[in-house]
Amino acid sequence: SQTIHQWPATLVQPVGSPLSLECTVEGTSNPNLYWYRQAAGRGLQLLFYSVGIGQISSEVPQNLSASRPQDRQFILSSKKLLLSDSGFYLCAWSVSGRIETQYFGPGTRLLVL
Amino acid sequence: AQKITQTQPGMFVQEKEAVTLDCTYDTSDPSYGLFWYKQPSSGEMIFLIYQGSYDQQNATEGRYSLNFQKARKSANLVISASQLGDSAMYFCAMREEGTGFQKLVFGTGTRLLVSP
C-alpha cells in the first residue's frame, strides 16, 4: 500500500533563516506531487505541483521554492523565511487517471518568529 | 468568484444522529470531480468520498454519502449515525478536468462537533 511521509512534524525558525521540508512517497511510481499551505483556520492553498522529476510548477509567487530530485521525493525550500510563511504545510500525491484522488501526508507545522 | 462555497463555519450534532454539511460549487466545465476530506485535530487530510460530474448515482462510502444535485451545483456530505470521532474540520474540493492540470480547489471548511 502507498504511504506518504513528511518531516519534520513541527518546526520553529527565526525570520531570515532557511527552510527545507521533505516529503517522500512509498508504494507508487511516478506520482504527481503537491505542496499546500494552510493558514490557521483557513482552507488549503496550492503552492507547487510536480508531474515528474525536475518538473515543478508554481501556483503562487512567493519566496518559497520546490524541487523534485527523485521520483518520490518532493522538497519545499526557502532561502530566507518571512513571518508570513508560518502555517501548516501539507504534501500530497496522486496518480494520473480519471478520478486522481489526492492523498495527503501528516503535515509540518511551521512557526516563524 | 468562489469556486467552492461552504456556508456553515460550524455544525453541532448529537451522537448517532445524521448531519448534512453543505457545499456549493461554481464551474462552467462539464467534466469535474467533487471530493470531501476530513481534517481531525492532528492535521492530516483524510479522503472521504468522490463524486464525478457524469456519475448517475450519488456516491456512498460506509456512513458517508454525497447528495449530488447537479442543477443546483451542490454536493452536500451526509454523515449518518454520527460518532464522537467524526468531530473534525470537513473540506469540500473540486477538480475541473478541462484545465491542463487537474488541481483541486478547496472550500474554507466546516467544523463539525459531535456531542455525546
Side-chain angles (χ1 to χ4, degrees):
Chain A
S1 63
Q2 300 88 359
T3 55
I4 178 169
H5 305 278
Q6 285 187 246
W7 64 90
T10 305
L11 193 59
V12 180
Q13 292 284 95
V15 169
S17 64
L19 173 74
S20 181
L21 303 181
E22 191 163 343
C23 169
T24 59
V25 180
E26 296 176 358
T28 187
S29 296
N30 196 30
N32 299 321
L33 297 172
Y34 312 80
W35 277 112
Y36 289 87
R37 176 169 60 201
Q38 184 179 30
R42 305 284 295 274
L44 273 68
Q45 179 187 39
L46 179 63
L47 301 176
F48 300 94
Y49 63 89
S50 171
V51 298
I53 296 174
Q55 301 178 62
I56 310 293
S57 296
S58 173
E59 285 292 300
V60 181
Q62 59 211 316
N63 71 319
L64 298 171
S65 62
S67 62
R68 185 169 176 174
Q70 300 180 39
D71 182 43
R72 289 168 287 179
Q73 184 184 30
F74 206 22
I75 297 172
L76 183 69
S77 304
S78 174
K79 292 182 179 178
K80 289 186 177 182
L81 283 168
L82 307 174
L83 288 174
S84 57
D85 291 325
S86 293
F88 188 52
Y89 289 82
L90 287 155
C91 181
W93 69 273
S94 71
V95 175
S96 295
R98 186 181 74 84
I99 297 178
E100 200 166 337
T101 300
Q102 291 185 23
Y103 298 96
F104 287 80
T108 295
R109 296 192 186 277
L110 172 66
L111 179 60
V112 182
L113 300 174
Chain B
Q2 290 280 3
K3 293 262 185 176
I4 293 285
T5 302
Q6 294 180 256
T7 58
Q8 306 155 316
M11 288 287 286
F12 295 90
V13 66
Q14 275 203 312
E15 202 176 5
K16 299 180 185 177
E17 292 185 350
V19 62
T20 298
L21 306 183
D22 294 342
C23 173
T24 58
Y25 58 91
D26 182 26
T27 181
S28 57
D29 193 331
S31 182
Y32 51 90
L34 296 157
F35 300 78
W36 277 92
Y37 286 86
K38 172 185 178 181
Q39 187 177 40
S41 57
S42 61
E44 185 176 358
M45 295 286 284
I46 302 168
F47 166 69
L48 296 178
I49 197 167
Y50 166 83
Q51 179 84 43
S53 59
Y54 292 123
D55 293 342
Q56 294 296 315
Q57 295 192 346
N58 287 345
T60 60
E61 289 287 349
R63 294 186 298 111
Y64 304 109
S65 61
L66 206 151
N67 184 1
F68 182 45
Q69 299 187 38
K70 197 170 182 177
R72 295 185 179 182
K73 293 189 175 179
S74 73
N76 299 338
L77 177 70
V78 180
I79 305 175
S80 62
S82 296
Q83 301 172 356
L84 296 178
D86 293 334
S87 294
M89 283 289 290
Y90 288 81
F91 290 93
C92 180
M94 177 176 67
R95 185 185 66 238
E96 294 174 305
E97 298 170 9
T99 57
F101 178 75
Q102 299 185 6
K103 69 176 186 180
L104 288 181
V105 176
F106 285 82
T108 52
T110 295
R111 183 173 298 280
L112 176 65
L113 183 60
V114 181
S115 59

